[in-house]
Amino acid sequence: MKKTDYLSVVLSFLCISPLIASADSRVEDVFKTNCASCHGSNLQGGMAGSLLDSIWLKDGTDKSLTNAIKQGIKDRGMPAFGSSLTDETIRTLVVYIREAGYRAESQTIQTPTLNKSFNTQYHTVNTRAVTSAKGIIWAMDFLPNGDLLYTLRKGELWLLGKDGKKVQIKNTPEVWHRGQGGMLDVMPDPDFAKNGWIYLSYSKKTGKNSSGRDIGITAIVRGKIKNNQWVEQQTLFEAPKQTHRNGGWHFGSRFAISGDYLFFSNGDEGHQNDAQDITTQNGKIHRIYKDGQTPKDNPFFSQPDALKTIWTYGNRNPQGLVKHPTTKQIWSTEHGPRGGDELNLISKGLNYGWPTVTFGMNYDGTPITPHTNLPDMQQPIHQWTPSIAVAGMNFYTSKRFNQWQGDLFVGSLAKKQLHRLRIKDDQVIEDEIILKGLGRIRDVVTAPTGELYITMNDRQTKISKIVALTPGK
């Protein structure tokens, strides 16, 4: 699927006079009141055209669709809604139309059968089941010898040998398995063969709030594995006690390592305004040394009351973080709310906007903000509306899929998709859905063999699988 296929626009409107909608109206109700009589209750078209296809009058941008709703299209008989609908509400209508169009178009994407081949734009691909587990496999990464480490969110770390045998690593940190929390990311040090360090992130219960509810934080540690035991643990980061109020949401918690620096993400923890507050850990990408010390050249190191580990802020819930193999840039994927998932190029001290700026709306269909960009707030390199629920990602570096070298692979939870992004000059020029429907894809890594490993889970069976993608003939 091309990047702009589902964003291509035409409006063919013939609508009734605009009606007033309150600022907190659900988008479904706004559409029903103002648009459904012409465009159909399911956006399939009626007196006016369908909003589900790619046949539009304008140039395919959100801006053109927004302007059509606000200003109307006189020669098509569509009235202007700018005086009756707020900018925030019009933004929710744009998201709602995108959601419906994406659902219609994604029906054409084939769901592959496990252990059988399927075709993509550049390669025929085979799938191979590697292992499975009860619960959610949250993250995985390879050791230099080809063994695979993976975490189970319920609080376990496992080692899968090249011989297919797997063993649970004992004495790992006790996790707070609640909501989205648990055992999260795992990454061996790039110099693992010399130093043996492995980095873990997990949610840790630290007390109760004033209402008596458990609260916690994202904790960052490193340790070593000896005789299948977790040993020599060092705590690298725990947020200051006064900021502890996570009730079980948006832990973020992905790693990237560049030289001596460890980058990690911390979601907004369900307190969205904290993302703009540099005195808290919430809604940030952090940068520390691999031993846990804080670099003095961090952007807010010398600012009074600021959390000195912050590298960027205004990040809602980044669950993908990776270093580019050539440029060494740090990239992240970030969950939007309902709409507005982001791919971001992470740069020192920048504000990525959440929640002042977003392409999405609240989950209940009410507005958050009319702003998709503002001065001094960094725009995403790429955004997905509707949300695909972006997760782990990986730049493919092997020659085995020779036409995929350097491409970025991004997992999707809600849409159960694997996306392949081609990036040129820091811009996404291709966004292809490689596969869909096998499960909620939570992490992606390149294996030493050149295979592409994905981990995915099924909410109904509560089983996770690790699957290898290999080139077909």
Side-chain angles (χ1 to χ4, degrees):
M1 178 187 294
K2 293 181 180 179
K3 179 178 66 171
T4 56
D5 275 354
Y6 72 92
L7 295 178
S8 304
V9 178
V10 167
L11 288 172
S12 179
F13 290 123
L14 182 61
C15 285
I16 60 174
S17 297
L19 300 174
I20 301 297
S22 65
D24 59 353
S25 296
R26 295 173 63 252
V27 67
E28 293 84 357
D29 296 331
V30 175
F31 185 87
K32 181 179 178 180
T33 299
N34 295 277
C35 311
S37 62
C38 295
H39 292 285
S41 59
N42 296 317
L43 294 80
Q44 77 279 8
M47 289 188 296
S50 170
L51 299 175
L52 301 178
D53 54 29
S54 296
I55 305 171
W56 307 87
L57 292 173
K58 298 292 181 179
D59 61 8
T61 64
D62 281 8
K63 182 178 180 180
S64 66
L65 182 50
T66 298
N67 288 340
I69 297 171
K70 288 181 70 172
Q71 301 168 11
I73 305 177
K74 290 183 179 180
D75 61 356
R76 297 287 176 141
M78 177 181 173
F81 288 81
S83 61
S84 59
L85 300 178
T86 66
D87 288 349
E88 292 97 331
T89 299
I90 290 173
R91 178 62 204 167
T92 67
L93 281 172
V94 173
V95 176
Y96 186 65
I97 292 168
R98 297 297 188 225
E99 288 177 338
Y102 191 86
R103 282 194 301 269
E105 187 166 352
S106 64
Q107 297 298 319
T108 64
I109 303 169
Q110 295 279 327
T111 299
T113 302
L114 197 58
N115 299 322
K116 291 188 178 181
S117 64
F118 60 95
N119 294 322
T120 71
Q121 183 174 344
Y122 295 115
H123 288 285
T124 299
V125 179
N126 293 322
T127 55
R128 176 174 64 85
V130 175
T131 192
S132 62
K134 189 76 172 178
I136 293 175
I137 298 177
W138 205 92
M140 59 183 171
D141 209 346
F142 283 91
L143 296 176
N145 68 355
D147 290 347
L148 180 69
L149 284 170
Y150 63 91
T151 62
L152 280 171
R153 197 173 70 180
K154 61 185 177 183
E156 297 174 1
L157 176 64
W158 287 78
L159 180 68
L160 176 66
K162 291 180 296 184
D163 58 4
K165 296 181 180 179
K166 56 185 180 181
V167 60
Q168 182 180 353
I169 307 304
K170 301 295 186 181
N171 299 322
T172 52
E174 181 181 355
V175 309
W176 183 40
H177 186 214
R178 176 174 176 171
Q180 297 171 349
M183 185 74 77
L184 302 173
D185 208 8
V186 59
M187 177 178 284
D189 194 289
D191 295 323
F192 175 85
K194 295 180 180 179
N195 61 35
W197 288 117
I198 296 167
Y199 301 86
L200 285 176
S201 63
Y202 66 99
S203 56
K204 178 179 179 179
K205 185 169 68 174
T206 59
K208 295 181 181 295
N209 62 18
S210 59
S211 301
R213 287 177 54 86
D214 290 338
I215 55 172
I217 56 169
T218 299
I220 309 296
V221 300
R222 70 176 181 179
K224 299 180 181 181
I225 296 175
K226 295 182 179 180
N227 299 319
N228 299 326
Q229 302 282 318
W230 180 255
V231 298
E232 300 181 36
Q233 177 172 299
Q234 298 176 357
T235 298
L236 304 183
F237 176 83
E238 290 188 5
K241 183 69 176 179
Q242 67 271 18
T243 69
H244 295 193
R245 56 183 185 137
N246 192 332
W249 309 106
H250 294 186
F251 289 93
S253 210
R254 291 288 182 183
F255 292 135
I257 295 176
S258 182
D260 292 330
Y261 302 109
L262 173 68
F263 295 82
F264 63 92
S265 64
N266 200 121
D268 67 10
E269 302 186 2
H271 303 282
Q272 62 184 36
N273 292 328
D274 283 1
Q276 291 294 316
D277 181 356
I278 60 171
T279 69
T280 78
Q281 73 279 8
N282 302 348
K284 315 294 191 305
I285 305 290
H286 298 262
R287 174 186 182 245
I288 58 177
Y289 285 115
K290 292 190 295 183
D291 65 0
Q293 299 298 307
T294 304
K296 293 183 179 179
D297 62 344
N298 276 0
F300 306 106
F301 186 87
S302 300
Q303 186 163 326
D305 299 325
L307 197 60
K308 301 181 186 302
T309 56
I310 295 172
W311 187 248
T312 68
Y313 63 111
N315 305 101
R316 183 175 181 268
N317 189 23
Q319 286 197 356
L321 202 63
V322 68
K323 180 182 74 172
H324 191 284
T326 303
T327 67
K328 313 306 180 186
Q329 299 165 316
I330 303 298
W331 292 75
S332 79
T333 49
E334 177 177 326
H335 286 272
R338 185 172 165 184
D341 287 1
E342 296 181 358
L343 172 69
N344 286 309
L345 179 56
I346 298 300
S347 298
K348 178 180 180 178
L350 294 186
N351 180 355
Y352 288 80
W354 174 254
T356 309
V357 166
T358 179
F359 284 88
M361 60 183 170
N362 287 313
Y363 291 111
D364 64 1
T366 56
I368 297 174
T369 172
H371 303 298
T372 56
N373 62 80
L374 283 173
D376 301 321
M377 292 189 176
Q378 188 71 8
Q379 284 281 281
I381 299 298
H382 188 60
Q383 64 95 9
W384 291 269
T385 299
S387 296
I388 63 172
V390 288
M393 61 179 181
N394 187 251
F395 283 101
Y396 184 76
T397 54
S398 175
K399 296 180 180 180
R400 193 162 177 185
F401 286 104
N402 63 316
Q403 308 243 7
W404 284 353
Q405 289 183 61
D407 287 348
L408 180 65
F409 287 82
V410 176
S412 152
L413 300 173
K415 302 300 184 185
K416 302 179 181 180
Q417 296 169 348
L418 179 65
H419 286 243
R420 179 192 62 82
L421 306 184
R422 182 151 295 175
I423 299 172
K424 182 178 180 181
D425 299 327
D426 295 339
Q427 297 296 318
V428 174
I429 60 173
E430 295 178 14
D431 182 353
E432 178 189 9
I433 298 174
I434 296 296
L435 57 82
K436 75 158 193 175
L438 291 180
R440 293 165 56 83
I441 299 176
R442 195 170 291 272
D443 205 7
V444 189
V445 294
T446 302
T449 59
E451 295 171 301
L452 196 66
Y453 272 46
I454 59 175
T455 179
M456 55 196 180
N457 69 281
D458 185 307
R459 278 181 163 174
Q460 291 184 331
T461 65
K462 298 182 179 180
I463 296 293
S464 289
K465 296 177 181 178
I466 295 176
V467 173
L469 307 186
T470 59
K473 296 181 180 180

